[in-house]
Structures are given as structure tokens and as C-alpha cells.
Amino acid sequence: MSKAPMRVAVTGAAGQIGYSLLFRIASGEMLGKDQPVILQLLDLPQAQQAVKGVMMELDDCAFPLLAGMVATDDPNVAFKDADVCLLVGARPRTKGMERADLLTANGAIFTVQGKAIAENAKEDVKVLVVGNPCNTNAYIAAAAAKKVGRTNPNNYHGMLRLDHNRALSQLAEKTGRPVSSLSKLVVWGNHSPTMYADYRNCVSNGDNVKALINDHAWNNDVFLPTVGKRGAAIIEARGLSSAASAANAAIDHIRDWVLGSDDWVTMGVPSDGSYGIPKGIVFGFPCECKGGSFKIIQGLEIDAYSQEKIAITLKELTDEAEAVKDML
Ligand SMILES: NC(=O)C1=CN([C@@H]2O[C@H](COP(=O)(O)OP(=O)(O)OC[C@H]3O[C@@H](n4cnc5c(N)ncnc54)[C@H](O)[C@@H]3O)[C@@H](O)[C@H]2O)C=CC1
Ligand SMILES: O=C([O-])CC(=O)C(=O)O
């Protein structure tokens, strides 16, 4: 007998990330090749016509796993009984803007949507915020959800997986090892240039990657800036912010959370106080996923250099939390 469909709400469905994301969800790449899905698509009233066009294309793919679609501009409808919510809809950054500039412009969206999710979605809903600044938007949504009290605020995540994947690619290129051989990478902190991609524990076929590279100057002056500023480099090159790679990262994050992962994965999750990060701050941590839940990996040694890097990205996040405190 086939499985009951899972309901996946996607906001910003008419946008460029939406266009890369929806077809892959409908083809089973996110929740499994035996898992039917119902797509619940939210966008602004002026984008409804474009959402209809995307739905026509989804129809034209005749995906066997696509069990239904809903288009709406009402968050209460979009999040009704949702198992998974992908909060993509927000204003993207354009040339010359830092992600922090989006804080107030986009923050307001997430108080409304966090509340609507908590009131309408399944109690064990899994929420991933992609719209920037995604850590603090997830923090705002989790705070709004906490007030309602039905859903688990720890299930409101920010997307650090794109940074994780970017770092993996850079390490594969530097070491000449395939991406598939690399494991135990983590990106700590904020999805911003302050993030700290940490390969001290990373291994490739039994070899420690830090020892293989053995180049502190490359780490500090090339690797970290390349990964941290990759979003801006894509905007510079494409004239638009990253979309297909962002959609791919969202699929990776949810797939691993729902179906489990053999390797460490970086997830932006509300801190439980681990590694001295204040409770509630949505921070990139090394996580493992099993049976539909995630756990922060404990006990990693933090050396002085890492401590300094983590403090910088934490400061940015606590400043963002301070800047939005009136929205909570
Ligand atoms: N966390 C990450 O790694 C990444 C995050 N992003 C962020 O993702 C977001 C979306 O990017 P794109 O798809 O390129 O933007 P886009 O401008 O192509 O699409 C955004 C869509 O969101 C819709 N929207 C705006 N406000 C909304 C609301 N209140 N409710 C529902 N829909 C709403 C717009 O009508 C539009 O259709 C941006 O904030 C961008 O900065 C982009 C890349 C990576
Ligand atoms: O840089 C941006 O504005 C889009 C983004 O988050 C990324 O590509 O990492």
C-alpha cells in the first residue's frame, strides 16, 4: 500500500529558489522516492498568476508522487496540516547589500508566518527558513511559535547547509579528494560572511583533512573568505542571488532531518546552550539526524582560533537578536 501523502508548504513559490525547488520535491528527491507529497504554495497576491504558471508546469511533469497542490496568499491555508514548511519567501539581497540590511525588511514576515505555522501545521512540523537573514528569521519564527505553544520551537531551523556544501566543494578541490570521501565538517554560526567553516575534524578515507592541507594561511586568507563571501560572488557573477544551489541545500537539510544521515550535517538550530551559545540563538552546529530528529554533536574540542571565530559570528547573531527584540 502506498504511503499517506506528506504536506509540504513552500513560501515564495513564484520566486527563483521556488522554481528550482518544487520540481525536485515533487519528484521525490527530498522525502523519498516512495513518499507522495501535497505542495501547499504561498506567495503574495501579485504573484498568484506566476504561481499558477509553476503549477501548470508541475502538472506537465506528471510526477507520480505529486498527490495535490494548493496555491494561496493566506499563510493559514498554506500551513494547514503541513508536515514540512520551507520558508523561502522574502526579499533577496541585491548588489551592495549586506544580509543584515534585510533584517527589518524581512523580519516582519516571520512573526506572521511563525504564528500561522504554530496554529495550523502538524504539531511535529519541521520548519526550515531559507529567506535571509535566515538564522534570525528562524529565531523570530520560533519565538512567535513559542507564544502559541502547539509546535516544537526547536524545529524552526535556519539554513546553513549551503555554506556546508560550499565548504565541502572547496576542500575537495584543495585536497584533490572526491566530495563523497569527506565527512565530519561543520560550519558554526550565522549564514553570513562571519560563519566559521571548521575542517579540523574532517576526514577523507581515514586521513585528517587539516593535516592533509596543513596550510593555516590558506584556511584563514582563502578558504574562509571564499566560503563566507560566496553568496556575494554569485550575485556579482549572475546578477541574481544563488537559487539552484540554495534549493539543493534546502532539499539536503530536510532529507537528512526526515530520513537520517550517516555523516555530520550542519544545521542552523536553536541553541540548547551547547558550546556556550546562548539558548534560543539559531546557530550553525554539527548535527546528526536519526528517526526524524536531530541532535547537536557534543564534546568537540574548541581551540583558541576556533573560539575567536565562533565569538565573532555569535556576536553578529546576538546583535541581530537585539535589533529584532521589539518584533518578538
Ligand atoms: N539561506 C540561504 O542559504 C539562502 C537564502 N536566500 C534567500 O532566499 C530568499 C528568496 O530568494 P529568491 O527565491 O531568489 O527570491 P525571489 O525574489 O526570486 O523570490 C522571492 C519570492 O518570495 C515572495 N514573497 C515575498 N514576500 C513574501 C511573503 N511575505 N510571503 C510569501 N511569499 C513572499 C515574492 O513574491 C517572490 O515570489 C531571499 O531572502 C534570499 O536572500 C538565497 C540563497 C541562499
Ligand atoms: O548571498 C545572498 O544574498 C544569498 C545567499 O544567502 C547565499 O547565496 O548564500
Side-chain angles (χ1 to χ4, degrees):
M1 210 178 75
S2 72
K3 292 179 166 177
M6 286 176 73
R7 292 181 177 271
V8 180
V10 180
T11 76
Q16 50 154 6
I17 295 177
Y19 197 68
S20 291
L21 186 59
L22 296 170
F23 297 85
R24 295 186 61 191
I25 298 172
S27 74
E29 287 182 55
M30 185 171 83
L31 296 172
K33 293 286 182 186
D34 60 346
Q35 178 58 63
V37 290
I38 296 173
L39 291 173
Q40 306 190 158
L41 308 179
L42 181 74
D43 211 305
L44 299 173
Q46 60 270 29
Q48 290 302 306
Q49 185 66 18
V51 175
K52 294 268 161 18
V54 176
M55 289 167 75
M56 287 161 69
E57 285 205 67
L58 282 158
D59 267 336
D60 294 349
C61 294
F63 289 119
L65 292 172
L66 186 55
M69 288 187 270
V70 175
T72 180
D73 59 9
D74 180 350
N76 295 309
V77 174
F79 300 132
K80 189 81 200 146
D81 297 326
D83 298 282
V84 174
C85 298
L86 293 166
L87 306 188
V88 179
R91 195 180 136 192
R93 184 160 72 123
T94 42
K95 260 190 196 180
M97 276 174 99
E98 264 314 320
R99 292 188 187 97
D101 299 332
L102 297 173
L103 202 57
T104 38
N106 287 335
I109 296 173
F110 295 89
T111 48
V112 173
Q113 294 186 357
K115 179 169 182 284
I117 291 169
E119 286 173 345
N120 293 284
K122 298 258 174 67
E123 286 184 26
D124 61 351
V125 63
K126 293 176 166 57
V127 181
L128 177 64
V129 178
V130 176
N132 279 319
C134 64
N135 296 56
T136 296
N137 289 338
Y139 173 77
I140 292 170
K146 211 183 253 175
K147 282 193 191 155
V148 178
R150 262 185 83 244
T151 55
N152 179 358
N154 292 327
N155 279 359
Y156 289 67
H157 293 182
M159 190 167 89
L160 266 290
R161 186 60 175 264
L162 183 52
D163 309 274
H164 182 104
N165 290 345
R166 286 169 173 165
L168 277 179
S169 263
Q170 296 298 320
L171 292 172
E173 195 182 321
K174 179 72 178 170
T175 56
R177 302 282 179 104
V179 164
S180 59
S181 78
L182 300 170
S183 64
K184 298 194 172 171
L185 171 73
V186 53
V187 182
W188 304 92
N190 199 6
H191 172 65
S192 92
T194 66
M195 57 92 238
Y196 172 47
D198 174 7
Y199 56 84
R200 291 173 306 130
N201 298 289
C202 191
V203 287
S204 163
N205 301 329
D207 300 320
N208 176 271
V209 168
K210 184 175 180 226
L212 277 179
I213 295 175
N214 192 25
D215 187 344
H216 179 73
W218 179 80
N219 177 50
N220 197 67
D221 305 336
V222 179
F223 173 70
L224 291 176
T226 300
V227 178
K229 294 182 189 157
R230 188 69 164 184
I234 304 271
I235 294 172
E236 190 59 40
R238 244 170 55 86
L240 288 167
S241 63
S242 30
S245 55
N248 179 68
I251 284 174
D252 285 350
H253 183 119
I254 297 291
R255 185 200 56 229
D256 289 343
W257 190 359
V258 173
L259 300 175
S261 161
D262 296 334
D263 187 14
W264 297 6
V265 286
T266 300
M267 294 173 131
V269 305
S271 177
D272 59 358
S274 296
Y275 297 100
I277 307 305
K279 278 192 181 168
I281 292 290
V282 175
F283 202 82
F285 282 112
C287 292
E288 53 192 356
C289 302
K290 219 180 257 165
S293 34
F294 69 94
K295 221 168 60 195
I296 298 173
I297 290 165
Q298 298 296 326
L300 300 181
E301 192 212 320
I302 307 295
D303 60 17
Y305 178 82
S306 304
Q307 194 58 59
E308 195 182 304
K309 293 285 178 197
I310 288 172
I312 292 168
T313 194
L314 174 61
K315 166 83 168 62
E316 185 177 47
L317 281 169
T318 51
D319 286 352
E320 288 183 16
E322 178 65 21
V324 300
K325 70 174 191 298
D326 293 341
M327 288 187 196
L328 304 183

